[in-house]
């Protein structure tokens, strides 16, 4: 079944369709991870995007029940050089083709993913469409150029109602902007009593849960598309310890008076080196973001930069100078990817422990 991947600049790739047979439109991005395709396709931060894998063979170890980051994937489509038809792994339950058909997600294989990646690196993320082989490419290009991509991705992937994930340790309210389940897993592993709340929960409503700490999760899209969340984070800073990841990091920066910008092609993959400026230690990290914090705008805020990306020098971590609050742009829960900075969850626990002890002393 021949399919076309058509970009808004007029570039056309011809390949073999697999997964769902429907046509799709979205923002075309690339990710550089050699493994972890199951976590990638189930990461809510890819909502609305057509994801290109730079690694040439995808699906070789199948799909299993354990490695999902969400129940319902939000990715628009996948682009691969080669899709494995017969996966080999003792945990495998489906081929990637079978899984994508079940979830109604289209994909295309057999195209030059190196060329596609070079185009994105040169021109930035582009709008694209996966369509049938007989579709008129010129008409599709005109349609793409006129298409305005949605800006409500956070609302699409966030939970619609609050729910508990019980533990007997510190009480954490997790604001779900598009949470990867790996974040919840790490908090549960530390016996946190977690309450997951929707993206539009107000600061006043969150404080009614009497939390010991607040987790700001990852999520898709531009942080400026959720101004209400910026106001919520602004309200929460200084009340209890705050830990932000990815989109949560960007919202924390905006709430503190800094600014963000759209990157040319973003950071997506599980091999990005990040330097901790406080320890001098470098960690390999998992990342998935198309926006970053503008370092110049941090100077007149109460924030300090704690981490930098070694590939391009962008801001990868922040801490508040006065209050117990810190954030990172990357994914310390490492799903997929290395677990070099998993200890940041322990740092969050220590921060809550010290804050609770201080409150008892002042009571």
């Amino acid at each position: 079944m021949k399919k076309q991947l058509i970009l808004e600049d007029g570039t056309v790739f011809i390949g073999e369709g697999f997964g769902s047979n429907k046509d799709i439109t979205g923002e075309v991005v690339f990710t550089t991870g050699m493994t972890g395709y199951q976590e990638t396709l189930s990461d809510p931060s890819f909502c609305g995007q057509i994801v290109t894998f730079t690694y040439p063979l995808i699906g070789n170890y199948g799909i299993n029940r354990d490695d999902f980051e969400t129940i319902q994937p939000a990715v628009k489509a996948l682009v691969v050089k080669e899709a494995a038809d017969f996966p080999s792994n003792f945990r495998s339950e489906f081929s990637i083709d079978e899984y994508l058909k079940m979830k109604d997600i289209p994909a295309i294989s057999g195209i030059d993913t190196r060329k596609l990646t070079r185009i994105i690196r040169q021109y930035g993320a582009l709008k694209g469409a996966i369509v049938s082989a007989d579709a008129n490419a010129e008409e599709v290009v005109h349609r793409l150029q006129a298409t305005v991509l949605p800006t409500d991705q956070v609302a699409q992937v966030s939970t619609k109602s609050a729910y508990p994930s019980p533990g007997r340790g510190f009480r954490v309210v997790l604001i779900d902007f598009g949470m990867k389940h790996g974040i919840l897993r790490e908090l549960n592993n530390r016996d946190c009593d977690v309450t997951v709340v929707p993206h539009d929960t107000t600061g006043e409503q969150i404080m009614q849960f009497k939390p010991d700490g607040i987790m700001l999760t990852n999520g898709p899209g531009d942080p400026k598309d959720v101004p209400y969340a910026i106001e919520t984070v602004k309200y929460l800073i200084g009340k209890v310890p705050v830990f932000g990841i990815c989109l949560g990091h960007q919202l924390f920066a905006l709430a503190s008076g800094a600014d963000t910008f759209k990157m040319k092609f973003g950071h997506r993959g599980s091999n990005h080196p990040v330097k901790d400026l406080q320890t001098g230690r470098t960690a390999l990290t998992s990342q998935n973001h198309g926006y970053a914090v503008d370092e110049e705008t941090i100077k007149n805020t109460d924030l300090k930069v704690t981490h930098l990306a070694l590939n391009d020098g962008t801001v990868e971590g922040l801490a508040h100078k006065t209050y117990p609050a810190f954030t990172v742009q990357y994914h310390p829960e490492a799903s997929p990817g290395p677990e070099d900075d998993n200890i940041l969850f322990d740092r969050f626990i220590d921060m809550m422990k010290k804050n609770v002890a201080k409150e008892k002393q002042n009571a």
Side-chain angles (χ1 to χ4, degrees):
M1 177 179 60
K2 291 292 182 183
K3 284 275 192 175
Q4 298 181 89
L5 169 63
I6 302 175
L7 305 181
E8 62 176 306
D9 68 352
T11 305
V12 178
F13 296 90
I14 306 294
E16 294 291 330
F18 66 104
S20 171
N21 192 34
K22 69 180 182 182
D23 293 349
I24 207 75
T25 299
E27 182 183 44
V28 184
V29 300
F30 68 85
T31 182
T32 58
M34 294 175 67
T35 59
Y37 55 81
Q38 181 172 337
E39 293 93 332
T40 296
L41 71 90
S42 61
D43 181 351
S45 292
F46 281 116
C47 178
Q49 294 179 324
I50 298 172
V51 180
T52 304
F53 289 94
T54 61
Y55 191 71
L57 178 62
I58 297 298
N60 52 310
Y61 54 86
I63 300 289
N64 64 72
R65 70 175 189 174
D66 301 319
D67 293 339
F68 293 112
E69 286 302 309
T70 189
I71 294 173
Q72 182 59 43
V75 64
K76 273 295 187 74
L78 301 185
V79 179
V80 304
K81 173 63 176 174
E82 180 182 353
D85 294 323
F86 303 101
S88 177
N89 186 277
F90 71 97
R91 293 196 303 157
S92 176
E93 297 179 17
F94 307 102
S95 70
I96 192 167
D97 179 46
E98 291 170 332
Y99 178 73
L100 293 177
K101 280 185 169 70
M102 286 192 323
K103 295 298 182 179
D104 197 28
I105 299 171
I108 187 171
S109 66
I111 74 165
D112 188 345
T113 51
R114 293 174 300 177
K115 178 180 177 180
L116 176 56
T117 301
R118 286 197 300 269
I119 290 171
I120 297 171
R121 285 182 61 88
Q122 183 174 355
Y123 300 106
L126 297 168
K127 289 178 286 188
I130 294 179
V131 296
S132 63
D134 57 0
N136 185 295
E138 189 174 336
E139 291 179 1
V140 174
V141 170
H142 288 316
R143 189 175 75 242
L144 283 171
Q145 292 173 345
T147 297
V148 177
L149 295 176
T151 59
D152 65 341
Q153 298 100 313
V154 169
Q156 290 182 45
V157 296
S158 175
T159 182
K160 300 300 184 278
S161 58
Y163 63 90
S165 184
R168 295 189 175 184
F170 291 109
R171 184 177 299 166
V172 176
V173 171
L174 182 153
I175 309 178
D176 178 12
F177 299 116
M179 173 192 68
K180 291 170 68 179
H181 284 179
I183 296 173
L184 185 58
R185 177 196 66 222
E186 293 300 330
L187 292 172
N188 287 154
N189 285 347
R190 290 158 177 81
D191 206 26
C192 290
D193 183 23
V194 183
T195 301
V196 181
V197 299
H199 63 103
D200 54 356
T201 307
T202 66
E204 292 86 350
Q205 291 170 329
I206 288 169
M207 291 307 297
Q208 289 175 5
F209 289 101
K210 305 294 183 184
D212 298 313
I214 306 292
M215 171 62 72
L216 311 174
T217 75
N218 66 293
D222 185 344
K224 293 176 184 175
D225 287 336
V226 283
Y228 53 87
I230 298 170
E231 292 304 311
T232 295
V233 176
K234 189 181 297 185
Y235 176 87
L236 294 170
I237 294 173
K239 290 185 167 52
V240 291
V242 174
F243 180 17
I245 292 174
C246 200
L247 182 65
H249 158 84
Q250 297 160 16
L251 293 171
F252 177 77
L254 290 168
S256 301
D259 198 8
T260 57
F261 65 93
K262 184 168 185 177
M263 306 173 78
K264 190 173 182 181
F265 49 81
H267 293 168
R268 297 176 179 89
S270 52
N271 50 3
H272 291 260
V274 171
K275 184 174 183 178
D276 185 333
L277 301 181
Q278 299 171 103
T279 65
R281 176 175 169 268
T282 295
L284 286 178
T285 67
S286 176
Q287 303 204 11
N288 176 13
H289 61 100
Y291 292 81
V293 176
D294 184 346
E295 186 172 7
E296 283 297 311
T297 65
I298 295 171
K299 295 177 180 177
N300 296 321
T301 71
D302 290 324
L303 303 178
K304 62 180 180 180
V305 178
T306 58
H307 297 74
L308 287 176
L310 292 184
N311 286 339
D312 60 10
T314 52
V315 175
E316 289 282 345
L318 296 168
H320 201 281
K321 294 177 181 177
T322 305
Y323 301 122
F326 72 101
T327 63
V328 289
Q329 179 64 80
Y330 55 92
H331 289 268
E333 81 283 353
S335 299
E339 299 181 353
D340 294 24
D341 257 7
N342 192 267
I343 54 174
L344 291 180
F345 288 95
D346 298 322
R347 178 181 168 189
F348 183 44
I349 298 294
D350 289 340
M351 193 174 276
M352 289 189 287
K353 187 181 300 182
K354 290 176 182 176
N355 194 64
V356 168
K358 182 180 177 181
E359 289 182 347
K360 287 182 179 178
Q361 189 176 13
N362 295 336

